[in-house]
Amino acid sequence: MKFEKLTAYLDSLRGEGIPGCDLVIYRDHEMLYRHMAGYSDAEGKKPMQGNETYCLYSCTKVFTTCAVMQLVERGLISLDDPVSDYLPEYAHLMVEDEKGLRPAKKVLTIRHLMSMQGGLDYDLKAPAIKKLIAETGGQATTRQIVEAIAKKPLHFEPGENFLYSLCHDVLAAVVEVVSGKKFSEYLQENIWGPLEFATASFRFNEDNLSRLCDQYMYDGEKRISNPIARDALPYRLSENHESGGAGLICDVRDYALFADAIACEGTGWTGKQILSLQTIQLWSANQLSPDSRKTYDTWRRRGYSYALGVRTRVDPQLGGRGPVGEFGWDGAAGAWVMIDPFHHLSAFYAQHVRGCGYAYDEIHPTIRNLIYEELDL
């Protein structure tokens, strides 16, 4: 397997305004392919080395929902538990829609949060959040941030529509309450440590900052990327906030080993089991109601629906190659993960370009199609 078309495609992306990228493909714990293209710095003087770190943004969500599925597998929580069983401030929520402001009629559950059908939004500057950050001098904890999120009314009754939101940040607080640990400590003990991660973190340190790939904002009309602050991480709302929705920093190696473990029936290269196959199948099962699916389809992930925190392939006739059940997600700077448990196949792609709709519409599906074409799957 030479993956010549895939290599040529990755090399071509610099001409589309992507300064640098990195892709790794695993199957049955064997690295089938690794290719880096372009540069890690805005000046174009540092060729990609493969040890660069990235802000994962929403690729963080796959770790968060994996952690929740571990708790489900261990019988510590149920997907249909009320969120208020763990976070009391979610017991008496309000809904604000075209009918006005009123008490919610339906109970918000863990499943609603997992499937982005909770009615929350992504307003990082909501009054309650801003007030909390000011009162705590920027030191608010994850648990405090999530309490502030609860003060804003829902946009619809839980379960009645799909709205991408801070639902997974709330899930991080659920994990903290159930485990009795900080979210990062739980991940270290139950995912990062067992897979021997080297870089995953919710904060910048001397090591990951020294290797951080320069970050950009995309100009879709000109197909160029303009440098922004390297360490911009807007979803980290305070010094002590560990965002389950968008807060992680790591390198390609770490994420690829995680994806490989999930693709191989939940068992990593170290022999440690992260999840059972049965739980993985539940995690990746479509959760959207017809109304929610209509909303999700506006995202143009052709052939996919949304499961418990991940996209899931439901129609192999749309969007190109790949089997039903392939799943994963992506991030605001263009990172993308693909997990195929049927073939024990996984891939992780990283770039560091925000506002790049071209990545979701063109780059990710093209990479997926070329992988399956090369492997004749």
Side-chain angles (χ1 to χ4, degrees), residues 140-158:
T141 65
T142 301
R143 184 69 185 80
Q144 289 175 308
I145 293 286
V146 167
E147 184 174 359
I149 291 171
K151 295 179 181 179
K152 186 173 184 181
L154 305 179
H155 289 262
F156 49 78
E157 291 285 347

Side-chain angles (χ1 to χ4, degrees), residues 124-164:
L124 301 178
K125 297 182 179 180
I129 293 176
K130 292 177 66 176
K131 180 181 178 183
L132 172 67
I133 292 172
E135 290 176 346
T136 60
Q139 300 298 310
T141 65
T142 301
R143 184 69 185 80
Q144 289 175 308
I145 293 286
V146 167
E147 184 174 359
I149 291 171
K151 295 179 181 179
K152 186 173 184 181
L154 305 179
H155 289 262
F156 49 78
E157 291 285 347
E160 292 190 354
N161 211 328
F162 174 91
L163 181 59
Y164 203 63

Side-chain angles (χ1 to χ4, degrees), residues 38-54:
Y39 298 85
S40 64
D41 65 321
E43 292 76 22
K45 296 180 179 180
K46 299 179 181 178
M48 298 287 288
Q49 298 296 312
N51 67 342
E52 291 82 8
T53 56
Y54 301 84

Side-chain angles (χ1 to χ4, degrees), residues 41 59 90 154 171 214 218 246 262 294 303 306 310 344 351:
D41 65 321
C59 272
Y90 285 80
L154 305 179
L171 287 172
D214 278 0
Y218 198 61
I262 303 304
K294 288 178 184 177
Y306 199 74
V310 290
H344 289 192
Q351 60 175 53

Side-chain angles (χ1 to χ4, degrees), residues 281 283-287 293 296 301 303-308 310-315 323-329:
Q281 291 170 338
W283 182 20
S284 58
N286 177 38
Q287 299 292 313
R293 180 67 190 278
Y296 179 77
R301 267 61 167 184
Y304 291 91
S305 186
Y306 199 74
L308 294 167
V310 290
R311 70 171 190 276
T312 186
R313 194 80 187 271
V314 294
D315 189 345
V324 169
E326 175 261 302
F327 70 99
W329 198 235

